[in-house]
Amino acid sequence: MRRVAALVAALIAALALAAPALADPALEALQQGSAYVSPAVGGTGTADAQARLEAVADDLERAGRPVRIAVVTGPAGAASMREYAAALRRRLAFAGLVVAVAPDRPTGVAGPRTQAAMTRDLRAARVGAITDPIQRADAAARAAAGPPLAPTSSDSTRALLGLLGIALIGGVWAAAFGIRRNRRVRRDEMVDRTAMARVRLDAIGARLDVLAVLPEHHARADDRLDAALRVARRAQAELDQATAADEVPAAEALVTEAFGLLRDAEREAGVPSPEDPFEGLCRCDPAHGAASTEATMRPDDIVRPSCAACRDRAAEGHPQMRRMVPSPAGPIPFDEAPLAEAPEGPSA
Ligand SMILES: [Zn+2]
């Protein structure tokens, strides 16, 4: 039975390769709805499978993370499932996440978040180990859409900034502040208390992204990476849920632990592992990721290492404001604030 299914899948994939690209039924279906399951994959369960994935898409849509899901027999003429997902997203002119799954192929995702961040989350959710394509599409959509945490997490802020073309930089902290304004807890004080931990956590996330897409992994580095990711997630959740000042130190301790694990993973992977959490990252905001160039930055108009987006904005005459954190003397750039404590204990 499986063999027949595989043969049918192969035949259909061959047909899809031969057919003109416009005739992709997934593309047509996703212009109307949020999920498509090829009958060649879903068999008699196609309608149920499609309903299940539509429900997943509805869930994510409600959480502000629009998604389109395609379960197909193969990448329909594209070089890989990832390219197929990117092509679908382009042809749908869709701003959200596109997930493309086929039996026995790596999962393809394309969306407003960076490929590195999505890859990291797919890995963390062990999506690649799920053989059932419907189940895998479900898991991949939830994972790649962002962490299953409170919507105030920096990932969703980052995704939002991504959607806006990172035009609102300086804004991760500002956005977190704005969202939290709506909360009835002692929010201003809590944002102040957690701002520095959030910057450090974003730096850790950016460095984890760099590690997650290294072409060569080995088991020990992977284990450390997974451990660092898990602890970073917990730290994020603690920061998001903290409503009283006495809850902050526990979250800060988790951030410190995640940083230690990140540095272990960096050493295992044989990449530089600076003690300064911000070194090598965009000096406008560590959440932007690795510094690949330089740019003038506000408020002092000094040229510093930056990401490409910050350089482009500066070149257009709009130098970006550096991410600020509160201090007794008023807001100061994130890397001028003293770290509340040593970023890690004595390293092993
Ligand atoms: Zn930047």
Side-chain angles (χ1 to χ4, degrees), residues 33-327:
S34 55
Y36 169 76
V37 177
S38 162
V41 178
T44 52
T46 298
D48 286 349
Q50 190 155 316
R52 168 179 168 177
L53 295 180
E54 278 164 2
V56 171
D58 286 350
D59 268 5
L60 291 169
E61 177 93 46
R62 270 194 298 277
R65 298 180 291 183
V67 59
R68 297 284 181 269
I69 306 170
V71 177
V72 293
T73 52
S80 65
M81 292 303 288
R82 178 169 148 182
E83 281 185 26
Y84 175 62
L88 270 182
R89 183 167 183 256
R90 210 166 41 241
R91 292 167 69 188
L92 290 166
F94 181 58
L97 170 71
V98 172
V99 174
V101 168
D104 304 321
R105 293 229 182 218
T107 303
V109 290
R113 304 174 69 219
T114 66
Q115 198 70 40
M118 292 188 291
T119 303
R120 172 162 62 88
D121 288 338
L122 291 176
R123 283 162 47 89
R126 309 234 178 260
V127 165
I130 305 172
T131 45
D132 178 73
I134 307 303
Q135 223 174 311
R136 180 147 53 90
D138 181 332
R142 292 182 194 276
L149 295 172
T152 50
S153 76
S154 69
D155 267 56
S156 56
T157 308
R158 216 180 297 176
L160 177 65
L161 289 174
L163 275 172
L164 298 174
I166 317 194
L168 299 179
I169 293 312
V172 175
W173 176 74
F177 195 93
I179 290 161
R180 288 188 157 253
R181 217 190 292 271
N182 298 328
R183 295 203 176 176
R184 302 195 56 202
V185 292
R186 278 161 287 165
R187 63 265 178 186
D188 293 2
E189 184 199 327
M190 290 311 299
V191 168
D192 282 12
R193 285 279 293 152
T194 59
M196 202 53 219
R198 286 176 186 280
V199 180
R200 281 171 61 204
L201 192 56
D202 280 349
I204 292 168
R207 281 166 66 166
L208 285 170
D209 284 354
V210 170
L211 270 188
V213 292
L214 285 181
E216 281 186 28
H217 294 285
H218 55 93
R220 267 177 77 86
D222 274 4
D223 283 351
R224 300 295 164 91
L225 181 62
D226 289 345
L229 188 64
R230 270 199 305 279
V231 175
R233 283 260 176 86
R234 272 172 53 209
Q236 180 83 64
E238 294 283 326
L239 285 172
D240 285 343
Q241 285 157 18
T243 54
D246 62 3
E247 291 167 12
V248 177
E252 285 170 342
L254 284 172
V255 174
T256 298
E257 188 186 343
F259 187 63
L261 290 165
L262 160 74
R263 292 198 65 204
D264 286 348
E266 287 174 334
R267 281 189 287 261
E268 286 292 340
V271 301
S273 180
E275 203 172 323
D276 176 350
F278 307 126
E279 197 174 320
L281 302 175
C282 180
R283 287 284 159 174
C284 203
D285 185 338
H288 296 180
S292 56
T293 178
E294 358 174 271
T296 306
M297 294 175 191
R298 289 167 55 216
D300 54 12
D301 289 328
I302 289 178
V303 175
R304 292 185 175 82
S306 80
C307 68
C310 284
R311 178 207 48 207
D312 292 349
R313 297 290 292 157
E316 290 160 9
H318 305 289
Q320 299 298 291
M321 181 58 133
R322 306 186 70 209
R323 181 166 171 179
M324 308 296 268
V325 295
S327 84

